[in-house]
Amino acid sequence: MFSKGDKTKDVATPRICDVVWHDGEFIAWNDARVHVMSHVLHYGSSIFEGIRCYATKQGPAIFRLKEHLQRFLNSAKIYRMDHTWTLDQLCEASVDLVGRSGLEQCYIRPILFRSLDEARPAFGVNPFPNPLACYIGAWDWGKYLGDEAIEKGVDVCVSTWNRLTPNSMPAMAKSGANYMNSQLIKMEALLNGFAEGIALDDRGYVSEGSGENIFTVSNDMVLTPPLSSSILAGITRDSVIQICHELGITVKERSIQRAALYVADEAFFSGTAAEITPIRSVDRITVGKGGRGPITEKIQKAFFEITKGERTAPGDWLTYVKTSKVSPADGNGSRPGATTNVGVSNRTAEPVMKFQAVGRGIE
């Protein structure tokens, strides 16, 4: 991370894909611009996703692409953002973007937001008169909480800011507005010398980090807060749960008291950006022996073997950019076991690219 005197960014951004997918077309990164009076800038009316693409021996592979984009569509539905994009179209656009980027590994950011109709501008809270805009960008993003954090862990605090109550803002939607709460948690932690903050829910139980789900380990049992604790239903969180099942590790969703963080044998964050990051202390109280514990290491090892394409995943978790097939989606998301040829739209006279999700059917 960085010192209190250098708070400008988490990690360096070494490479950015020079094109952005925008409403069905690829445009230059520098042309991806939003009017200053757009609804999203004034009222936070956006939903988005974060998806990692990993470097493998078979080329770039996007991790759980369909699950992320299905959550993207779910978030849009919750916020009544009626659009025409399908799951398959968004998957194709993401794969095409990675192919055009030349990046072996990257972070993919789809975003849908309420823009501005310049011919008939509307400036009120009412979002319906404003048109929607959909973009997908990509960049090479390193370890979110620092390269050393994966092995040594991070020091965190319990935030004075609580997560939103379930009937105030929908925690299950990944919306830009929710992340103002996350920013308060993150800034407070950084200014007090911690790498990250942990928020409690409205009842005082552990919820999640500013941008990560959380797990604890006690007596060889892995615990994680339930959806009722105002958490985002993390894709990486779900991956950890499935990996635990594969490894024969007992994992349960359970309300976690703040004090349980201090006496846990191990604790770790999960998330697209954070991946699997150990927690070595909470509120300056050492967790376990301080650092990465044996169960965290076992889960982490399996996770990174899967993302490198070296281990069979519990489901169709990797979409290889350079291969030729994709499992089509049904009305509710991915359909395990089915494959068909689906070409990516060719809007710039480049070769049509096709892709495939590999692994076993999602359980």
Side-chain angles (χ1 to χ4, degrees):
M1 290 299 295
F2 46 78
S3 68
K4 292 168 66 174
D6 180 17
K7 303 183 292 294
T8 55
K9 56 186 176 181
D10 292 314
V11 293
T13 303
R15 294 182 65 194
I16 296 175
C17 178
D18 61 2
V19 295
V20 172
W21 183 88
H22 171 225
D23 288 344
E25 297 182 344
F26 285 93
I27 62 174
W29 173 278
N30 290 335
D31 292 335
R33 293 289 183 263
V34 179
H35 195 286
V36 71
M37 298 308 293
S38 292
H39 194 271
V40 63
L41 294 181
H42 297 260
Y43 302 107
S45 49
S46 69
I47 57 99
F48 70 98
E49 270 302 323
I51 311 168
R52 273 200 189 265
C53 177
Y54 287 90
T56 75
K57 292 181 180 179
Q58 295 79 36
I62 305 174
F63 184 67
R64 302 198 70 173
L65 175 63
K66 287 187 174 180
E67 290 89 338
H68 280 97
L69 289 175
Q70 183 59 57
R71 187 173 65 180
F72 182 75
L73 295 175
N74 292 346
S75 296
K77 184 175 183 179
I78 291 169
Y79 275 99
R80 302 178 188 272
M81 293 180 165
D82 297 328
H83 59 88
T84 60
W85 302 110
T86 67
L87 179 58
D88 284 337
Q89 288 173 328
L90 294 172
C91 286
E92 292 170 0
S94 300
V95 170
D96 203 356
L97 179 67
V98 174
R100 292 163 187 259
S101 74
L103 298 172
E104 286 299 309
Q105 61 183 27
C106 62
Y107 183 91
I108 305 166
R109 170 56 57 83
I111 184 168
L112 178 71
F113 59 87
R114 299 191 187 275
S115 187
L116 177 73
D117 182 347
E118 295 187 42
R120 302 178 63 184
F123 304 116
V125 173
N126 174 16
F128 292 125
N130 299 279
L132 293 172
C134 189
Y135 289 82
I136 307 175
W139 60 89
D140 184 357
W141 205 5
K143 302 301 181 186
Y144 179 60
L145 295 173
D147 292 332
E148 293 185 353
I150 295 298
E151 180 178 351
K152 296 183 178 180
V154 291
D155 300 310
V156 307
C157 65
V158 174
S159 180
T160 62
W161 296 98
N162 284 4
R163 271 300 185 208
L164 302 160
T165 60
N167 211 34
S168 296
M169 298 279 281
M172 66 183 297
K174 194 173 176 72
S175 68
N178 285 5
Y179 279 75
M180 289 299 287
N181 177 251
S182 295
Q183 288 178 52
L184 291 170
I185 295 164
K186 185 74 172 181
M187 289 187 293
E188 179 183 54
L190 294 175
L191 291 171
N192 284 294
F194 298 98
E196 185 57 282
I198 296 172
L200 306 180
D201 65 19
D202 60 310
R203 303 165 300 159
Y205 289 103
V206 173
S207 179
E208 58 185 357
S210 71
E212 314 90 0
N213 293 118
I214 189 169
F215 290 81
T216 63
V217 182
S218 296
N219 300 319
D220 295 330
M221 182 184 298
V222 176
L223 304 175
T224 191
L227 297 183
S228 58
S229 286
S230 294
I231 70 167
L232 180 71
I235 307 302
T236 309
R237 173 184 179 273
D238 176 71
S239 302
V240 169
I241 291 171
Q242 293 196 51
I243 287 171
C244 284
H245 291 318
E246 290 277 311
L247 297 176
I249 298 171
T250 301
V251 56
K252 294 184 178 181
E253 293 182 284
R254 181 178 295 175
S255 295
I256 298 173
Q257 294 185 29
R258 173 178 180 167
L261 297 171
Y262 306 143
V263 298
D265 299 325
E266 306 174 36
F268 61 91
F269 285 126
S270 72
T272 296
E275 297 169 297
I276 312 293
T277 299
I279 297 170
R280 66 187 175 203
S281 73
V282 180
D283 293 337
R284 298 191 171 89
I285 298 175
T286 301
V287 175
K289 296 182 180 179
R292 181 175 59 187
I295 291 182
T296 302
E297 184 175 8
K298 187 181 295 186
I299 296 168
Q300 191 185 69
K301 181 175 182 290
F303 176 81
F304 285 122
E305 286 175 350
I306 289 170
T307 58
K308 290 177 183 176
E310 299 171 353
R311 182 189 184 106
T312 301
D316 295 335
W317 286 7
L318 293 181
T319 297
Y320 288 102
V321 171
K322 295 180 180 179
T323 53
S324 60
K325 294 181 181 179
V326 60
S327 299
D330 61 20
N332 296 314
S334 59
R335 187 173 70 205
T339 58
T340 186
N341 291 330
V342 179
V344 173
S345 49
N346 178 16
R347 297 185 179 88
T348 57
E350 294 186 3
V352 172
M353 187 180 304
K354 299 177 181 179
F355 64 104
Q356 180 180 30
V358 302
R360 293 184 294 160
I362 298 173
E363 299 173 352

